[in-house]
């Protein structure tokens, strides 16, 4: 409390308030917002006045509405801040030059902005293209072609927190419902799904969010895990996660060939 406030409370008396109200009879008309906070007894003996009861109920509702409004304002500010951070992330993902950078940006942002303890990705290799049918060549041309060095097959280096599996891997069946719904699912995944995404050591996962990545075909799955069972409980809002999943799906679809990981 500031010194001037302490002095004022000591000097101001009931008579001072009465004189002020007498000189300003329109005070409560001009300041009606203070009325619900005042306690004005209505003498009715041992019975409770209906008016007093109504005022008490209205005061309680007013307090509840004020708290709700305060909470809504807080959520709106948090969502606005999150929207701005995701906007920056989207710009960085669009301009990322390689798959490693895309994954690193995504994992770091999800851990920071959604309070995830860990983030894992499961990506499906790009389906190999069918070889083009070539016309029959002469024996001389075939001999020249045979002497050329065979092209070196590129492979994708390992990426932290990411698995890259064949495009027809059995994991597709595990997440068929996720791809069918085409939206983020919160809750606790099955043992098989957790093992596929996180590995065998997943006993500390209490809740998770699964984000499908697909554009014309399944591209992969992102999982956000938490040791808090309420963090990604079923029924949580997933609007921002859905938007991010859709953006990532488009980026991966236009990225190019996703190759298998190099095995050391």
């Amino acid at each position: 409390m500031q010194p001037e406030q302490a002095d004022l409370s000591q000097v101001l008396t009931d008579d001072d308030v009465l004189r002020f109200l007498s000189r300003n009879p329109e005070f409560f008309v001009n300041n009606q917002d203070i009325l619900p906070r005042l306690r004005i007894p209505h003498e009715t003996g041992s019975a409770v006045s209906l008016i007093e009861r109504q005022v008490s109920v209205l005061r309680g509702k007013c307090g509840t509405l004020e708290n709700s409004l305060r909470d809504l304002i807080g959520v709106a500010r948090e969502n606005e801040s999150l929207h701005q951070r995701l906007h920056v992330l989207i710009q960085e993902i669009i301009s990322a030059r390689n798959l490693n950078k895309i994954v690193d940006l995504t994992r770091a942002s999800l851990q920071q902005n959604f309070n995830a303890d860990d983030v894992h990705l499961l990506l499906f290799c790009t389906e190999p293209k069918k070889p083009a049918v070539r016309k029959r060549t002469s024996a001389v041309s075939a001999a020249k072609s045979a002497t050329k060095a065979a092209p070196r097959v590129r492979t994708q280096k390992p990426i932290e927190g990411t698995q890259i599996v064949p495009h027809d891997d059995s994991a597709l069946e595990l997440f068929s419902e996720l791809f069918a719904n085409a939206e983020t699912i919160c809750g606790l995944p099955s043992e098989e799904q957790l093992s596929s995404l996180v590995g065998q050591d997943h006993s500390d996962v209490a809740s998770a969010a699964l984000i499908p990545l697909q554009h014309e075909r399944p591209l992969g799955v992102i999982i956000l895990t938490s040791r808090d069972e309420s963090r990604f409980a079923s029924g949580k809002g997933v609007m921002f996660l859905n938007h991010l999943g859709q953006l990532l799906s488009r980026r991966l679809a236009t990225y190019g060939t996703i190759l298998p990981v190099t095995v050391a």
Side-chain angles (χ1 to χ4, degrees), residues 182-201:
E183 65 177 17
T184 302
I185 296 178
C186 289
L188 188 61
S190 67
E191 290 285 330
E192 293 80 5
Q193 289 175 329
L194 281 173
S195 298
S196 178
L197 293 168
V198 180
Q200 297 299 322
D201 186 15

Side-chain angles (χ1 to χ4, degrees), residues 38-58:
L38 298 179
R39 294 188 176 274
I40 305 175
H42 185 65
E43 297 296 337
T44 57
S46 58
V48 177
S49 166
L50 179 58
I51 295 177
E52 188 175 350
R53 177 59 179 166
Q54 289 176 325
V55 170
S56 176
V57 171
L58 289 174

Side-chain angles (χ1 to χ4, degrees), residues 214-235:
Q214 60 181 344
H215 181 68
E216 297 181 351
R217 72 174 184 89
L219 300 170
V221 179
I222 302 178
I223 181 171
L224 291 74
T225 63
S226 175
R227 291 183 289 272
D228 181 2
E229 63 181 10
S230 64
R231 182 69 195 95
F232 298 113
S234 179

